[in-house]
Amino acid sequence: MLGLGELELKVMDVLWTAEDQLRVRDVLDRLSAERTFAYTTIMTVLDHLHDKGWVQRTRVGRGYRYWPVRSREEAGAHVLREVLDSSGDSESVLLHFAASVSERESELLRRALENGRGTP
């Protein structure tokens, strides 16, 4: 996602799939199946994600519990909105995007627009 590094995105994936708020240790444990990371690395990544507005946190004892500010889908829509707002020519960007969508995606967009811009 725009504005996220590779490790930040992996941490966000863990948070998006979690059913509850997670401690640094919880995130580290879920990532460890893939690769070994230092506790402080994950703590720093979560701190950066908090500073960037991707996660919220609450203090529990000496540490924090983290959770995403937006769902994965909402975050994707937010990134698209940022791209359109910063493009200088949102119409052109939308037209290029529309030319790249699949038939299924096109149908979803059509239905969403017919339903008053709500969810499909």
Side-chain angles (χ1 to χ4, degrees):
M1 293 219 177
L2 191 66
L4 292 183
E6 183 181 342
L7 184 53
E8 288 175 323
L9 186 54
K10 288 179 185 207
V11 168
M12 287 305 301
D13 283 339
V14 168
L15 293 173
W16 280 321
T17 58
E19 294 182 15
D20 206 357
Q21 301 170 4
L22 299 178
R23 299 170 302 141
V24 174
R25 174 66 53 200
D26 300 326
V27 174
L28 181 63
D29 290 346
R30 293 174 190 205
L31 289 171
S32 67
E34 178 182 320
R35 189 173 142 206
T36 303
F37 296 99
Y39 179 92
T40 54
T41 299
I42 301 307
M43 182 174 64
T44 300
V45 169
L46 284 163
D47 191 49
H48 288 164
L49 288 168
H50 178 261
D51 291 345
K52 290 180 175 184
W54 283 86
V55 301
Q56 290 184 343
R57 66 185 179 193
T58 188
R59 186 170 284 283
V60 178
R62 295 184 318 157
Y64 292 99
R65 290 191 181 270
Y66 295 86
W67 66 96
V69 169
R70 299 175 183 90
S71 69
R72 183 189 313 266
E73 296 77 15
E74 291 167 331
H78 181 77
V79 168
L80 288 173
R81 180 77 262 157
E82 285 182 340
V83 168
L84 289 173
D85 290 346
S86 67
S87 71
D89 186 0
S90 60
E91 182 178 333
S92 181
V93 172
L94 280 172
L95 291 173
H96 283 285
F97 176 74
S100 73
V101 299
S102 69
E103 194 60 41
R104 181 180 171 280
E105 292 163 337
S106 178
E107 180 56 34
L108 286 170
L109 285 170
R110 218 177 272 110
R111 276 190 283 158
L113 290 170
E114 290 170 0
N115 292 330
R117 296 184 173 186
T119 55

